[in-house]
Amino acid sequence: MAGTPEDAKQAALSDAWGLVHGEAKRLEETGIGALFASDGERFDRLSATHEDLLVDFSKERLDEAALDALIRLAGTAGVEDRRAAMLAGQPVNLTEGRAVLHTALRAGPDARVLVDGEDVMPTVRAVLDRFLDFAEDVRSGTYRSASGNAFTDVVNIGIGGSDLGPAMAARALAPDADGPRLHFVSNVDGSHLADTLKRLDPKTTLFIVASKTFTTQETMTNARSARAWLEAALPADAGKHFAAVSTNLAATKAFGIDDARVFGFWDWVGGRYSVWSAIGLPLAIAIGADGFRAFLAGARDMDAHFASAPLRRNLPVLLALIGIWRRNALGLPTVALIPYDQRLDRFAAYVQQLDMESNGKRVTREGVPVTRATGPIIWGEPGTNAQHSFFQLLHQGTDVIPVDFIASASARDGLPGHQSLLLANCLAQARALAFGRSEEEVRKLMRAQGRSPAEIDKLAPHRTFPGNRPSTVILQSELNPFTLGRLIALFEHKVFVQGAIWNVNSYDQWGVELGKEFAGSLGPLVAGEASDTSGLDASTIGLLGYLSSSKD
């Protein structure tokens, strides 16, 4: 009896995964150094470019045959069909019945994107024009404070995607920022807002409250406190110092924000993909409408590459397949993301949310438990600081941790000599991780330095580097609005491809809900406004008891 089409698909997928694992087994005893020694054209074979953007994965523990197996896996998993479905506005977010169309937010002027048969682009362009016009009004002083002065400072109040995206991008594009000073408050810890406000003048400070529903607990707590701070100085005019990114016009109106200063976005834009929407308003205020449009253009450029480039030369696909190889074929659960650019000091945190909230899933799109590891743990800090913090473990620790390096060939406004030294460090770390230094090499070096045999015997094991630690290097010409937009979109699409291969829904985030639900019920107990602890576990009751006694 013939099997169903689904049976055939699953059999093909099983074969494709088997081929990948077979390649990993074949290469198990082959180090990165040996791979380079056997192929003088390895860099050319295992790197790819798009315009000035280079992805070099030749220092990964694979070869062309392994890459062929990964490409076959992507094809068998239906990456191309799922890509087409997402870009066409189909409801690929199955658990919420939504399209996933952050790409529409940066689509070109002639684009048509249908959701439920309706072209959403006219509305997208209208909202874009509205919030960019408002950004320019704030920048120019056309929209002024209640005191009649131009705004000198803008505070964005949000959390998660309503904070990380614009905060990261504003920091990255500091050379382009010629508008009011930006500040970002996200943590409900009162010190975050208090420390920000103590440096500001209420008469020249504008607040942007970013919450789609205008009910996010942390954001609204901070917004109410900010309003109280303003009302102490401007009792009748505090509302004029607020704008909002929200779809809840009734709530924003009740808060005192005129509809003209409220900018919405859509349920087919996930929070961690929303920097391209009105959530990017603070960034637009910093770098201006032209800069923001260049930022969108960079992402659009990557979208076009992702949509059309063959899998073998498609940068997001290649980056995703390297991640699949590390996570599933080599069993490496974590990735260090190290930008050699101080202005990208929030990029690892941004990608951490993008990746871990998207693909940190334990069930498939069909709701059954996954049979293999999914999203990796993403973490990192900028080089060269990271080198003096945790690179000891990367080089000589007992766990192998792959690294993604990011750097730009040129600095926008760096100091003489600094960029060359920065880049030398980036390339050196990738080289040291890959090739290491054997004990024999250490002993030879120490003998050349005139060290005694006893000292060599004592120190050689400590100065040996095992190498064979994989990394990928991502290089571009410089960091500017266009290239930052392109870089973010590269990682967005990488996450999509991996989610497609793992067959998980990358666009919901139920994992953040349970803790929020528990916090809502525990809040009155912590505040001393309730006392019924029935149904709670002994640990939580004990912790509540400690907090209560500490307040006394």
Side-chain angles (χ1 to χ4, degrees):
M1 179 177 175
T4 66
E6 181 61 25
D7 291 336
K9 176 183 175 182
Q10 292 305 316
L13 267 174
S14 179
D15 288 346
W17 275 110
L19 184 60
V20 168
H21 287 293
E23 292 298 319
K25 182 70 174 176
R26 175 179 63 83
L27 293 168
E28 194 171 40
E29 302 300 323
T30 306
I32 295 172
L35 291 171
F36 272 91
S38 65
D39 184 0
E41 297 181 353
R42 182 172 170 82
F43 172 79
D44 295 326
R45 299 182 198 278
L46 297 178
S47 64
T49 59
H50 170 62
E51 299 170 347
D52 63 298
L53 183 62
L54 165 69
V55 175
D56 169 25
F57 51 99
S58 60
K59 294 188 184 72
E60 298 288 341
R61 286 163 48 188
L62 48 61
D63 58 13
E64 277 200 291
L67 181 59
D68 288 340
L70 290 164
I71 295 290
R72 175 179 167 180
L73 173 64
T76 307
V79 165
E80 291 158 301
D81 289 342
R82 291 192 179 180
R83 175 183 64 189
M86 179 186 73
L87 296 176
Q90 295 181 24
V92 297
N93 180 352
L94 298 178
T95 61
E96 297 174 304
R98 295 173 180 171
V100 175
L101 280 175
H102 44 279
T103 54
L105 299 173
R106 62 248 191 165
D110 300 322
R112 293 182 75 249
V113 180
L114 302 181
V115 177
D116 297 328
E118 178 185 352
D119 184 5
V120 300
M121 291 310 300
T123 306
V124 169
R125 295 186 189 102
V127 173
L128 175 64
D129 289 342
R130 277 191 66 229
F131 81 76
L132 290 185
D133 285 347
F134 179 70
E136 288 299 324
D137 286 347
V138 173
R139 286 166 54 82
S140 66
T142 301
Y143 184 76
R144 291 178 171 267
S145 69
S147 62
N149 297 314
F151 287 105
T152 58
D153 295 88
V154 175
V155 181
N156 187 80
I157 298 176
I159 197 165
S162 298
D163 167 77
L164 265 175
M168 177 276 293
R171 171 70 177 134
L173 299 178
D176 302 276
D178 55 3
R181 293 181 293 268
L182 285 190
H183 313 270
F184 291 88
V185 172
S186 56
N187 202 323
V188 76
D189 183 340
S191 63
H192 198 182
L193 181 62
D195 290 348
T196 301
L197 295 182
K198 69 176 59 173
R199 305 193 299 269
L200 305 180
D201 181 351
K203 295 184 178 63
T204 57
T205 300
L206 175 71
F207 291 89
I208 300 170
V209 183
S211 170
K212 183 185 291 187
T213 63
F214 221 67
T215 59
T216 308
Q217 185 182 59
E218 300 93 335
T219 298
M220 297 316 300
T221 299
N222 281 325
R224 287 188 289 268
S225 295
R227 185 178 176 88
W229 177 77
L230 274 174
E231 287 176 340
L234 306 165
D237 298 304
K240 190 173 182 180
H241 285 234
F242 279 91
V245 181
S246 178
T247 57
N248 190 344
L249 289 176
T252 56
K253 188 183 294 291
F255 194 85
I257 306 175
D258 190 277
D259 288 356
R261 299 192 304 282
V262 180
F263 309 94
F265 58 111
W266 303 266
D267 63 6
W268 37 260
V269 180
R272 57 197 178 277
Y273 297 90
S274 64
V275 69
W276 322 102
S277 72
I279 289 293
L281 174 59
L283 177 63
I285 291 174
I287 68 174
D290 289 344
F292 194 86
R293 290 186 188 277
F295 177 63
L296 297 180
R300 181 165 64 249
D301 178 78
M302 181 53 65
D303 293 343
H305 170 75
F306 176 57
S308 62
L311 298 186
R312 187 64 180 248
R313 306 303 299 173
N314 193 304
L315 298 193
V317 171
L318 291 170
L319 208 56
L321 293 178
I322 295 306
I324 294 288
W325 178 258
R326 294 165 170 175
R327 187 75 171 106
N328 299 115
L330 302 184
L332 304 176
T334 180
V335 177
L337 180 57
I338 312 295
Y340 274 72
D341 190 320
Q342 184 60 30
R343 290 186 176 125
L344 287 174
D345 60 352
R346 296 292 289 157
F347 193 74
Y350 178 81
V351 174
Q352 185 179 69
Q353 184 202 25
L354 173 69
D355 200 310
M356 294 172 68
E357 198 166 77
S358 294
N359 287 339
K361 306 293 171 62
R362 57 174 294 279
V363 297
T364 67
R365 286 156 50 92
E366 294 75 31
V368 299
V370 298
T371 58
R372 54 183 51 85
T374 60
I377 300 162
I378 309 290
W379 59 283
E381 289 287 338
T384 56
N385 287 4
Q387 295 173 201
H388 294 266
S389 175
F390 51 79
F391 268 48
Q392 169 62 44
L393 186 145
L394 297 186
H395 284 290
Q396 292 185 312
T398 55
D399 289 301
V400 173
I401 299 173
V403 181
D404 287 333
F405 294 98
I406 301 174
S408 297
S410 300
R412 295 281 298 281
D413 55 1
L415 298 173
H418 285 243
Q419 190 68 7
S420 296
L421 181 58
L422 181 73
L423 292 171
N425 273 272
C426 177
L427 301 187
Q429 293 299 324
R431 175 174 167 76
L433 286 166
F435 302 109
R437 176 172 283 167
S438 68
E439 184 169 337
E440 180 183 349
E441 290 172 321
V442 171
R443 289 178 175 275
K444 181 179 179 180
L445 178 64
M446 293 183 74
R447 284 194 295 270
Q449 294 170 341
R451 304 295 184 93
S452 69
E455 187 178 15
I456 292 173
D457 288 342
K458 178 182 178 181
L459 294 181
H462 299 277
R463 296 178 63 173
T464 296
F465 291 75
N468 205 31
R469 303 196 171 204
S471 69
T472 288
V473 179
I474 301 170
L475 295 177
Q476 59 186 6
S477 57
E478 68 173 26
L479 184 64
N480 58 44
F482 181 92
T483 60
L484 178 65
R486 187 179 61 184
L487 184 66
I488 296 171
L490 170 68
F491 278 84
E492 286 180 346
H493 295 316
K494 181 210 82 163
V495 167
F496 166 83
V497 172
Q498 290 183 333
I501 292 173
W502 286 321
N503 192 34
V504 298
N505 181 6
S506 301
Y507 299 104
D508 61 8
Q509 56 281 328
W510 300 106
V512 305
E513 299 300 323
L514 183 59
K516 290 163 77 173
E517 178 186 330
F518 284 176
S521 61
L522 288 171
L525 292 168
V526 174
E529 299 166 356
S531 58
D532 182 6
T533 60
S534 59
L536 295 180
D537 61 277
S539 172
T540 303
I541 293 171
L543 294 170
L544 287 168
Y546 172 84
L547 293 173
S548 177
S549 63
S550 296
K551 291 176 183 177
D552 299 339

